Amino acid sequence: MADEKKKLKEEKVKPLLTVCDASQEMIDKAKTDGVSLVFDRAEAMKPCPIGAEGSCCKNCSMGPCRLPAPKKKGEGEEKKRVGVCGATIETITARNFIRMIAGGAAAHSDHGRGVAEVFLAAAKGEIPGYGVKDEQKLYQLAMDFGVDVENLDTQEIAVKVGELALAEWGKQEGELVMAKRAPLKRQEVWRKLGVFPRGIDREIVEIMHRTHMGVDQDYKNLIAQGTRAALADGWGGSLLATDLQDILFGTPVPVRGSINLGVLKDDEVNIIVHGHEPLLSEMIVVASQEPELIKLAKSKGAKGINLAGMCCTANEILMRHGIPIAGNFLQQELAIVTGVLDAMIVDVQCEMQSIHDVAQCYHTEIITTSPKAKISGARHIEFEEHNPIATAKEIVTAAIENYPRRKGQGKIPSQKCDTVVGFSHETINYLLGGMFRASYKPLNDNIIGGRIRGIAGVVGCNNVRTTHDQAHLTLIKELIKNDVIVLTTGCAAMACGKAGLLLPEAAAKYAGSGLAEVCETVGIPPVLHMGSCVDNSRILIAASAVVKEGGLGDDISDLPAAGAAPEWMSEKAVSIGHYFVASGVYTVFGTTFPTTGCEVLTNYLFKGLEAELGGMWDFVEDPLEMAQKMIAHIDKKRKALGLDKARERVLYDMAMRREMEAV
Ligand code: XCC
Ligand code: SF4
């Protein structure tokens, strides 16, 4: 008995590392090569249980104060859990939670600021190679900012928009301009609660102030500031990043691409761009196609230059140029393990410092490019914002020069999968309504009629504490099987791509009959790839457009919709999750939840917020149960809209039709 228990326990501590065969192949190779990976380090270092539940405060040097929950229910509950300064467990977990929001909102928004600065310089004609690619979108943004589009030329409009957009970061009072794209009723909710964001930087700084020792010590008041900052991310920094990038580099339209480590080539110079900002990668795309550089590559014995992406940068250049994706977050070390990667170019966010160590075992050159993100020991070629093509050429040349240093035979996994990506809010509009009558009406009608049960946003990271890609795929397959159309971004989107879910053919294979019928008619996959993590703002805009189209209530919180990040790990995910909650969406996280150390706060986030914001958090480890809870929420919203009957009827129709077909 004891033996069996032990065996079970052993099995439990050794779950599958990944469901991605290409990744498993490289994990095995790393073992043979004697290379330590994130998977090995996770095994060697278990997470701190007190930190994982948010019960540790280190905001001053009288601590750190560790306030673990009582081991058994009831035990020690009469004793108030407080830190040395008297801060309660509610205060401590709330402070920790909103500091995560600050970290995430800062990452997205500082990315957005970088884009705004480059946009303004480009508008002034100061950056060769950059200009306005999407005029339509520029005019739209100009109107949001109240720029007089009638009497100015395109360049003047772009300069004005650039200046006004950049000013949103440092704004001290008033309301963020972009947040006015939300449905009117939603804006009223924010005003009533006093959480309408003022300026992007201000909200983030105020979190750091309020969470300093001895400042804000009321958990609800702390969470309200978290809400303000998260909204400043989603409806501010991220939305501006997306819009300005679209204007500069083009709004994505559906394009085919391929994904997984199998996109690497053994006879070409392989370059991976890894990170988040498309500013440099756009120019690396150009440089990698320059005839003189291709000639240089050939002179070194390579057949050409093969560029691929990783993490969110990959989503950006796949959506805009069809450049293949080598993999998602947990594959960054594995790409190096192939032994055929000549250079990995990184900018900011989600780059594990270990890529440098792994690269030491092979020949790969890690090149950092952002003054904000260096890696000790790695080569640094700083991105010259005012002459991006020169930097890009220098970097591509460095990669080419590294090609002859490949050591012995590499091994490239055979797996790669075709995908169709690039579903911006605009393309969904066109696809459904046609170029001249762009509209969400067909989508709304299909939701109202019940063919589509609802909408789910499934986004976020990989997390080494759970099986790579498994929760994403299990959850998403279950949702589409139940006629819920899925919008996806980030590393979740890449998991879908690798599993073939981003192909129109996936509808017939995986989707329920109602959703499959709609997908087949329009020619779209049941899972729509909407971009990188800052592009979660595209989901906000799509949701607002669905509300404005009519028939599904008058606020995002009325929609039969839900969100999830089953494998989240980064602070950015917390910010994204919280701006979805604050926009009225039921949002579920997997793996762990960072406030479970405090029941009062967790109850407030999971239940209390619904009454205030219409949206609320949840935490479910099992992806199938997660799907059930999301579907239950969608059904609850359908019922509130009086649409439960419609769906019953449609299901009956489908069943009848199948019966008729069978005859
Ligand atoms: Fe990073 Fe953006 Fe998370 Fe992936 S999904 S691990 S944040 S790359 Ni953004
Ligand atoms: Fe401890 Fe209070 Fe200092 Fe936090 S702020 S470390 S709870 S004394």
Side-chain angles (χ1 to χ4, degrees), residues 57-65 67 82-87 92 95 213-214:
C57 178
K58 55 177 183 58
N59 292 9
C60 90
S61 78
M62 298 191 288
C65 299
L67 275 58
V82 295
V84 170
C85 68
I92 288 171
R95 284 202 297 222
M213 188 269 149

Side-chain angles (χ1 to χ4, degrees), residues 108 274-276 310-313 315 328-330 332 348-351 459-463 472 489-494 531-534 536 567-573 576:
H108 287 143
H274 168 24
H276 281 78
M310 187 147 260
C311 283
C312 281
T313 283
N315 286 327
N328 52 7
F329 176 71
L330 281 179
Q332 54 186 292
V348 291
Q349 298 169 25
C350 300
E351 292 124 14
V459 307
C461 320
N462 290 142
N463 183 326
H472 286 308
T489 60
C491 289
M494 298 180 216
S532 65
C533 288
V534 292
N536 281 313
E567 299 179 30
W568 78 281
M569 64 87 200
S570 91
E571 290 171 329
K572 291 180 282 172
I576 294 166

Side-chain angles (χ1 to χ4, degrees), residues 551-599:
L552 291 169
D554 46 19
D555 189 0
I556 296 174
S557 61
D558 295 332
L559 297 178
E567 299 179 30
W568 78 281
M569 64 87 200
S570 91
E571 290 171 329
K572 291 180 282 172
V574 181
S575 181
I576 294 166
H578 202 67
Y579 72 62
F580 272 101
V581 168
S583 300
V585 181
Y586 168 66
T587 304
V588 202
F589 269 27
T591 320
T592 54
F593 199 86
T595 67
T596 47
C598 176
E599 218 177 300

